[in-house]
């Protein structure tokens, strides 16, 4: 399938989702821009939009070229109340936001920073989803704090809760681009590697293709990423779901499917890696013989 950009007809997000279309979100801004020297770790305030707007614009363009349909504004921690308590870990606060946003007469999408254990008051993911939909949200899901595998477990619980309540909503997931099976209820902020030692946990592009397929099979149609999700991760989502979408993103012009470009490599053993079976079954090593595979969360 050759890259063909994106369909020209403009449709609203609900129109896209109701037709079964896959909507691909964007990825990491805070952690990526911190690595690039434009954001200071800690409160993670987004002054880069004023101080270095070209850097923010460049990252948006990279996600767009990689296949993103939606560009979210870089406004995380832009208010005092957000800096005191990262929204949304509590479903009660998320419900308040939905009720206010419904006054705009626009579709409301809301994601929570929770894992399978639920919110900070032990409200289950299924009940969180029910409350959000009853408040008026059309799209619900989770973002950040947890890796792809954990986030999909949470999405499954949300979906089950909605089905048991006889409610319908579109599902949205934007997890971390890191593997976090050992984190606690607070997510990756509990891990001793947060935020400056997470590189060994970065998901491969093949991990993300698997995540995209599993999310799609679960019934999720808004699929993206959060902290640690680089443009090549978004491209992996777009490539995995190209059969359903009918086209590849522009960034795929320089990327052979499942390593197919390696068939021109000068080394014969590298040429043997130009196949899906190799990359799908690879168990990547960290190169750190004295490091544990899992960490002990601080909380």
């Amino acid at each position: 399938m050759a890259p063909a950009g994106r369909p020209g007809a403009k449709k609203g997000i609900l129109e896209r989702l109701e037709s079964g279309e896959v909507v691909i979100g964007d990825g990491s801004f805070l952690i990526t821009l911190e690595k690039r020297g434009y954001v200071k770790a800690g409160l993670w305030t987004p002054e880069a939009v004023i101080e270095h707007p070209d850097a923010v614009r460049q990252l948006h363009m990279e996600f767009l070229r990689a296949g993103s349909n939606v560009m979210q504004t870089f406004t995380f921690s832009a208010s005092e109340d957000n800096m005191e308590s990262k929204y949304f870990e509590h479903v009660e606060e998320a419900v308040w936001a939905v009720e206010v946003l419904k006054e705009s007469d626009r579709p409301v999408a809301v994601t929570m920073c929770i894992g399978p254990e639920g919110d900070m008051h032990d409200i289950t993911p299924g009940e969180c989803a029910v409350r959000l939909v009853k408040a008026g949200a059309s799209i619900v899901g989770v973002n950040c704090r947890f890796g792809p595998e954990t986030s999909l477990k949470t999405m499954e619980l949300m979906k089950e809760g909605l089905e048991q309540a006889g409610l319908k909503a579109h599902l949205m997931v934007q997890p971390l681009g890191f593997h976090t099976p050992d984190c606690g209820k607070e997510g990756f902020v509990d891990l001793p590697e947060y935020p400056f030692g997470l590189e060994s946990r970065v998901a491969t592009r093949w991990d993300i293709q698997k995540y995209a397929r599993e999310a799609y099979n679960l019934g999720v149609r808004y699929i993206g990423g959060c902290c640690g999700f680089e443009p090549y991760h978004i491209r992996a989502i777009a490539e995995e779901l190209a059969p359903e979408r009918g086209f590849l993103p522009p960034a795929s012009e320089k990327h052979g499917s499942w390593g197919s470009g390696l068939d021109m490599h000068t080394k014969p053993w590298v040429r043997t890696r130009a196949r899906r079976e190799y990359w799908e079954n690879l168990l990547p090593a960290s190169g750190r013989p004295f490091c544990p595979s899992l960490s002990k969360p601080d909380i």
Side-chain angles (χ1 to χ4, degrees), residues 74-225:
F74 181 41
T75 52
F76 184 83
S77 287
S79 61
E80 292 184 5
D81 56 345
N82 194 297
M83 288 189 279
E84 293 175 0
S85 175
K86 306 303 183 187
Y87 283 55
F88 294 106
E89 296 175 329
H90 308 273
V91 70
E92 183 179 17
E93 295 176 344
V95 166
W96 294 340
V98 173
E99 291 172 345
V100 172
L101 290 169
K102 284 298 291 183
E103 298 176 3
S104 69
D105 197 33
R106 292 179 179 274
V108 176
V110 57
T111 54
M112 295 191 65
C113 290
I114 62 173
E117 295 181 48
D119 80 349
M120 292 299 105
H121 291 294
D122 297 321
I123 306 299
T124 66
E127 178 60 22
C128 286
V130 167
R131 294 188 187 186
L132 293 172
V133 173
K134 285 185 175 180
S138 300
I139 308 168
V140 298
V142 295
N143 77 290
C144 205
R145 292 298 177 90
F146 300 89
E149 298 90 349
T150 305
S151 293
L152 288 180
K153 291 178 183 177
T154 309
M155 291 303 304
E156 188 171 4
L157 294 172
M158 282 189 154
K159 181 181 179 181
E160 290 175 358
L162 292 173
E163 290 175 346
Q164 291 170 6
L167 297 172
K168 291 184 178 181
H170 300 292
L171 302 177
M172 173 179 179
V173 62
Q174 292 195 276
L176 300 173
F178 306 109
H179 293 290
T180 62
D182 45 348
C183 66
K185 190 171 183 178
E186 290 274 1
F188 77 144
V189 296
D190 292 347
L191 296 174
E193 297 93 344
Y194 174 86
F196 301 127
L198 292 165
E199 283 78 5
S200 63
R201 293 175 175 266
V202 173
T204 70
R205 65 194 70 192
W206 319 117
D207 293 331
I208 298 307
Q209 289 206 207
K210 179 182 177 182
Y211 147 72
R213 179 54 56 191
E214 291 180 350
Y216 184 87
N217 290 342
L218 184 60
V220 181
R221 291 296 178 268
Y222 188 121
I223 305 172

Side-chain angles (χ1 to χ4, degrees), residues 12 17 40 51 62 76 89 94 99 107 145 202 228 242 273 290:
L17 293 173
K40 186 175 182 179
E51 297 175 350
E62 290 178 31
F76 184 83
E89 296 175 329
E99 291 172 345
R145 292 298 177 90
V202 173
R273 301 171 189 168
F290 302 108

Side-chain angles (χ1 to χ4, degrees), residues 6-7 22-24 67-69 237-238 241-249:
R6 57 193 67 248
V22 176
V23 174
I24 297 180
S68 295
N69 298 117
I237 296 175
L241 299 177
E244 286 77 13
R245 300 176 80 212
F247 63 98
L248 287 166

